[in-house]
Amino acid sequence: MSKEVVLSGIRPTGFLHLGNYFGAMRNFVRMQSEFDCYFFVANWHSLTTHPDTQTLRQSVHRVIAENIACGLDPEQVALYVQSDVPEIAELYLYLNMLAYKGELEKTVTFKEKVRLQPDNVNAGLLTYPVLQAADILIHRAVKVPVGKDQEQNLEMARNFAERFNHRYGDVFPLPYGFNYGGELVKILGLDGEGKMSKSENQLSTLYLADDDETIRKKIARAKTDQGPATENSVKPPYIENLFTLLKLVSTPDTVSKFEEDYNMSQQGDCRIRYGDMKKQLAEDMIRFIAPIREKAADLQSNPELLSTIIKKGAEKARASAATTLTQVRKAIGTGN
Ligand code: TRP
């Protein structure tokens, strides 16, 4: 039996951070040996919100390099750039005839972007979910590892696939969100406000490209307080978040030491020393991030190797895309 197809995409609109790693990339790495995986950089999508393309190529290369540095094996998965696969654009065109203006206008992400960029409400923004559906359906993917914020886009992809199948005949299986059991780890910004972000909130986000000193500085200024007022207190979100990070990068012994200190603390007898905890967290974080950063930097300093990898990814993706597109054209009557 052939393996199920997994697909996910990342927009190259900033720097990858810890939230991306623990929310996405770590799972991709686990999936690569189990499934037939397609991971790509959604550079067409980024044009809907980032018309200035001066740093686009560099960002695309960085995302590819960082994905490999995180453990994705370009021999095992198809790691490619969206714009290298023109088949996606043709499927996008067909799907556009199955997508209605009313439903596109109602999507949460569209409304949000209209609010953020009222002077650039372009048609690409409106049809963003159609392009995303084309990304997924072009490989007939059934499992799409994405965060909760992408659920609506996935639902639309299913709708377009169903309409297509109904109108032209069965070509597409229906894609669903997928993550290994349980909740995804949620990582807040170091200020305890909102999530880490590729482009905003930069001082509160730990990037995979941050150098050691930057990591130390950011963690040192992470939000804390005077400590708990009673034993076994519930942790406020910004403290819980520091423990979450500690659990991800430190040894179990370190985690239990600080957990105990926290739980034994009370007003007038504060055992937990946030300063020490942050110092430990910073050093363990550096041990985690530095090898990824260095591997990604090595790759980026070898543009020939990177471009060989990207070409190979495109070949794999185009082979699969062409097979689907042949069926699509045949079903519609646009093929010969
Ligand atoms: N919209 C996704 C995001 O903002 C990126 C994306 C584009 C994507 N095409 C996709 C994700 C296809 C999964 C599948 O994160």
Side-chain angles (χ1 to χ4, degrees):
M1 217 183 82
S2 62
K3 293 182 184 170
E4 282 180 307
V5 177
V6 165
L7 172 137
S8 195
I10 301 183
R11 277 180 309 144
T13 50
F15 287 78
L16 296 185
H17 52 75
L18 273 195
N20 297 127
Y21 181 86
F22 289 107
M25 271 116 84
R26 184 174 66 165
N27 292 333
F28 297 174
V29 170
R30 193 170 152 199
M31 288 168 198
Q32 66 184 341
S33 48
E34 250 178 274
F35 300 103
D36 187 9
C37 290
Y38 293 83
F39 298 117
F40 73 100
V41 186
N43 58 345
W44 279 337
H45 274 112
S46 72
L47 297 176
T48 63
T49 50
H50 293 62
D52 180 356
T53 56
Q54 263 194 4
T55 56
L56 184 59
R57 183 186 305 274
Q58 193 195 347
S59 305
V60 167
H61 283 196
R62 189 176 56 238
V63 173
I64 296 274
E66 286 179 333
N67 270 284
I68 295 170
C70 287
L72 275 191
D73 175 5
E75 296 290 325
Q76 217 172 68
V77 306
L79 184 60
Y80 62 98
V81 181
Q82 189 180 34
S83 61
D84 286 341
V85 186
E87 289 81 4
I88 299 168
E90 185 172 336
L91 181 57
Y92 168 58
L93 182 149
Y94 297 131
L95 296 179
N96 266 322
M97 318 312 170
L98 301 167
Y100 299 107
K101 175 171 166 279
E103 65 183 337
L104 295 172
E105 279 170 343
K106 271 195 295 198
T107 57
V108 176
T109 40
F110 176 69
K111 288 195 285 193
E112 212 173 85
K113 284 169 186 166
V114 170
R115 198 167 47 75
L116 288 173
Q117 51 180 70
D119 297 331
N120 184 19
V121 184
N122 58 76
L125 210 52
L126 183 68
T127 57
Y128 184 113
V130 188
L131 181 55
Q132 181 159 346
D135 291 331
I136 299 168
L137 300 177
I138 198 71
H139 301 300
R140 278 169 297 176
V142 290
K143 286 184 155 60
V144 187
V146 282
K148 265 214 181 77
D149 62 326
Q150 295 296 310
E151 265 310 315
Q152 194 176 28
N153 284 342
L154 265 183
E155 188 185 332
M156 297 182 80
R158 285 194 293 277
N159 288 339
F160 304 147
E162 267 178 331
R163 283 177 211 162
F164 185 101
N165 290 344
H166 183 72
R167 191 173 296 177
Y168 302 116
D170 259 324
V171 173
F172 299 117
L174 302 185
Y176 287 90
F178 170 63
N179 279 299
Y180 287 110
E183 287 278 291
L184 285 177
V185 209
K186 245 231 255 29
I187 299 182
L188 304 180
L190 294 170
D191 54 2
E193 312 271 330
K195 296 195 290 186
M196 292 195 172
S197 161
K198 279 192 260 185
S199 54
E200 292 147 45
N201 211 11
Q202 297 192 357
L203 288 176
S204 296
T205 299
L206 291 167
Y207 295 100
L208 300 177
D210 279 346
D211 61 40
D212 294 356
E213 248 344 276
T214 306
I215 296 170
R216 282 194 192 98
K217 263 196 218 132
K218 285 181 179 174
I219 294 181
R221 60 189 286 290
K223 176 168 176 172
T224 54
D225 52 28
Q226 275 103 40
T230 56
E231 289 184 13
N232 300 311
S233 290
V234 175
K235 300 183 183 89
Y238 48 91
I239 297 295
E240 185 71 60
N241 193 47
L242 291 180
F243 275 98
T244 302
L245 294 173
L246 205 65
K247 278 180 208 148
L248 291 170
V249 299
S250 300
T251 64
D253 284 354
T254 304
V255 178
S256 16
K257 176 201 158 3
F258 288 108
E259 287 274 7
E260 266 168 44
D261 287 352
Y262 182 88
N263 286 327
M264 284 167 40
S265 297
Q266 52 186 310
Q267 201 143 36
D269 182 18
C270 186
R271 307 283 179 90
I272 178 117
R273 292 176 174 271
Y274 288 132
D276 291 352
M277 177 166 150
K278 286 182 185 179
K279 273 195 192 120
Q280 180 74 48
L281 175 60
E283 294 317 305
D284 293 338
M285 190 58 74
I286 288 168
R287 211 165 304 125
F288 175 79
I289 289 183
I292 296 178
R293 177 187 70 220
E294 281 156 20
K295 181 149 192 222
D298 277 354
L299 274 164
Q300 287 174 89
S301 67
N302 191 344
E304 273 131 61
L305 176 58
L306 212 48
S307 94
T308 311
I309 291 173
I310 290 173
K311 269 201 199 112
K312 196 156 176 202
E315 273 167 31
K316 284 193 217 172
R318 288 198 71 180
S320 146
T323 309
T324 305
L325 201 52
T326 303
Q327 289 190 37
V328 165
R329 288 169 156 211
K330 203 166 149 211
I332 300 180
T334 52
N336 291 305

